[in-house]
Amino acid sequence: MNDSPGWAAPGSSPSDGERPGAPAGQPAPPAGGPGWSAEQPPPGQWQSPSPQAPPQPQPGQGWGQQPGTPYGGPYGPQYGYPGGPGQWGRPPAAKPGVIPLRPLGLGEILDGAVATMRTHWRSVLPITLVVATVVQVISLIAQKYAMSDLTVATEQTDPSLSSVGSSVALMLGAGFIGALGGVIATAMLTMIYSRAVLGTTSTVSGAWREAKPQLLRLLGLMFLLAVGAILLITVLFLPGILTQNVGLVLAALAASLPLFTWLWIKFSLAPPALMLEKSTIFKSLARSSKLVRGTWWRIFGITLLTQIITGIVSAIIVWPLTMIGMIAFGGGLSGIEDGTASTAWGALILSGIGAIIATTIVMPIQSGVTVLLYVDQRIRREGLDLELARAAGVENYGTTGG
């Protein structure tokens, strides 16, 4: 018998020689007795009974149950009887919020992320819109001056180190601001999604109050992952660079892609674990590793599909505006050929507008999928659905029928 929650059988069949409902060991009544037909086939000649419609249970009465006491389980009451309409199985799970409180499928995770953005847009969209606007304005200014300085430096026969260094510093500064904005948005969106699972709404100020105590730790987590990635790249590529051995460089390149992908998925659930469990940096990394263990390929597939979908959505929004800006404000095809179109103010502004729109849309989906993957893994491994049901006020969730 399967011991999985919600899938226990309603009761074993009576063994030979025992009367249904009698205590164990009590013999069955003789043929013709109460509850048994007087016409019994000869021994060894049992045949299938004539076809007839199976008995229909009354509403609220399952097979072998008393009226009004349907078979229950952690996923709620179950009706029906084996072989008939409404066979034993898992009924619709409680759904106080954007997801049902049971192990989730791919479609339910994606739908939950989109449903949260659609239902709680007053909380979600202002966060991503503000973060995307600030990041894109800073990135646009940095790109304008950094690219212009690099273009001038490459045209010089002896480019100065200061001009190249200033361009690199501008780009790194813009990247840091972008990462900081992403951390803030991720922290606040995580709180909004955690409440959406319970069916409660969040405000921007409420999400900020809940996320603020963990912001420094989340920033430290992202910084630690970035430093670890840089150190890993150094270890992999440094021998080939120092020896100028092309074979070692290619081997490092071949090893880095699967290694980074494995680590990326292994620690992908660390941010929601850190925010929702109020844990430390290293405990959140350990939690993510534990939750991902054994289901790496599933989480990888869902995460990769999410990245592909959001990438396509971003490209559909950004690229048309970018091309229009280059053609209209960057000197047309000649400007695209010589590279001056990409630094024209009109092209940069249209491209930035497209990036703001795309980020506002795709960032909640990416964050939502990560949070719901974390919730799904805890439901599968730790029975988190019972705790969520109690927190959401779902009555009689996880109790069995009498």
Side-chain angles (χ1 to χ4, degrees):
M1 178 171 60
N2 193 337
D3 294 329
S4 300
W7 291 99
S12 56
S13 302
S15 59
D16 294 339
E18 292 185 349
R19 175 167 53 88
Q26 181 175 336
W36 291 84
S37 172
E39 298 179 2
Q40 299 294 327
Q45 297 183 14
W46 291 95
Q47 298 178 356
S48 299
S50 58
Q52 61 181 8
Q56 299 295 326
Q58 299 298 321
Q61 180 179 4
W63 184 44
Q65 303 292 320
Q66 296 298 320
T69 59
Y71 174 68
Y75 297 100
Q78 302 183 10
Y79 299 93
Y81 51 92
Q87 296 186 14
W88 294 103
R90 182 183 299 176
K95 189 178 180 180
V98 294
I99 59 169
L101 299 183
R102 55 169 171 75
L104 304 175
L106 167 62
E108 290 167 330
I109 291 176
L110 294 174
D111 180 69
V114 175
T116 302
M117 185 176 65
R118 184 176 62 248
T119 305
H120 304 278
W121 63 269
R122 290 181 178 84
S123 303
V124 173
L125 295 186
I127 295 172
T128 55
L129 179 60
V130 170
V131 169
T133 301
V134 172
V135 170
Q136 287 303 318
V137 168
I138 295 175
S139 178
L140 184 149
I141 296 173
Q143 186 178 355
K144 170 65 178 178
Y145 291 104
M147 293 300 295
S148 298
D149 290 345
L150 286 177
T151 301
V152 172
T154 54
E155 292 175 352
Q156 297 175 353
T157 56
D158 187 18
S160 63
L161 187 61
S162 60
S163 62
V164 176
S166 62
S167 300
V168 173
L170 279 173
M171 298 302 294
L172 289 177
F176 174 77
I177 297 298
L180 181 61
V183 168
I184 295 173
T186 298
M188 297 177 69
L189 290 173
T190 299
M191 296 306 173
I192 292 175
Y193 272 91
S194 67
R195 288 187 171 274
V197 169
L198 300 177
T200 58
T201 58
S202 297
T203 61
V204 175
S205 59
W208 169 252
R209 284 194 303 269
E210 292 180 350
K212 185 168 60 174
Q214 291 292 100
L215 271 179
L216 286 179
R217 287 181 176 178
L218 183 60
L219 184 60
L221 173 64
M222 297 302 185
F223 178 77
L224 180 62
L225 292 175
V227 171
I230 293 173
L231 291 177
L232 189 57
I233 290 176
T234 302
V235 170
L236 289 174
F237 285 91
L238 189 60
I241 294 174
L242 292 178
T243 60
Q244 297 183 352
N245 189 317
V246 178
L248 287 178
V249 173
L250 293 177
L253 183 62
S256 62
L257 181 60
L259 182 58
F260 273 99
T261 303
W262 178 71
L263 292 173
W264 169 42
I265 300 301
K266 181 180 178 68
F267 299 123
S268 62
L269 303 184
L274 184 142
M275 295 300 301
L276 298 178
E277 299 179 19
K278 312 298 182 184
S279 63
T280 62
I281 294 174
F282 292 101
K283 285 183 179 179
S284 66
L285 292 172
R287 283 287 287 156
S288 178
S289 177
K290 179 181 178 181
L291 292 172
V292 171
R293 188 182 302 123
T295 56
W296 187 95
W297 283 106
R298 179 177 180 272
I299 297 176
F300 168 72
I302 295 175
T303 305
L304 179 62
L305 180 61
T306 303
Q307 295 295 326
I308 292 173
I309 293 174
T310 54
I312 292 174
V313 171
S314 297
I316 292 174
I317 297 172
V318 173
W319 278 107
L321 291 175
T322 302
M323 295 305 299
I324 292 173
M326 286 184 177
I327 294 173
F329 304 101
L333 295 178
S334 60
I336 296 176
E337 290 177 359
D338 58 26
T340 57
S342 61
T343 58
W345 276 113
L348 288 174
I349 290 174
L350 278 181
S351 177
I353 291 173
I356 290 172
I357 297 172
T359 304
T360 302
I361 295 173
V362 304
M363 184 185 289
I365 298 176
Q366 293 171 340
S367 298
V369 167
T370 301
V371 173
L372 295 182
L373 276 172
Y374 163 81
V375 173
D376 175 57
Q377 288 302 109
R378 288 201 60 188
I379 288 176
R380 292 172 182 269
R381 293 178 178 269
E382 302 170 358
L384 182 65
D385 54 324
L386 301 176
E387 183 177 341
L388 292 176
R390 286 192 292 269
V394 179
E395 297 183 357
N396 299 325
Y397 189 87
T399 60
T400 58

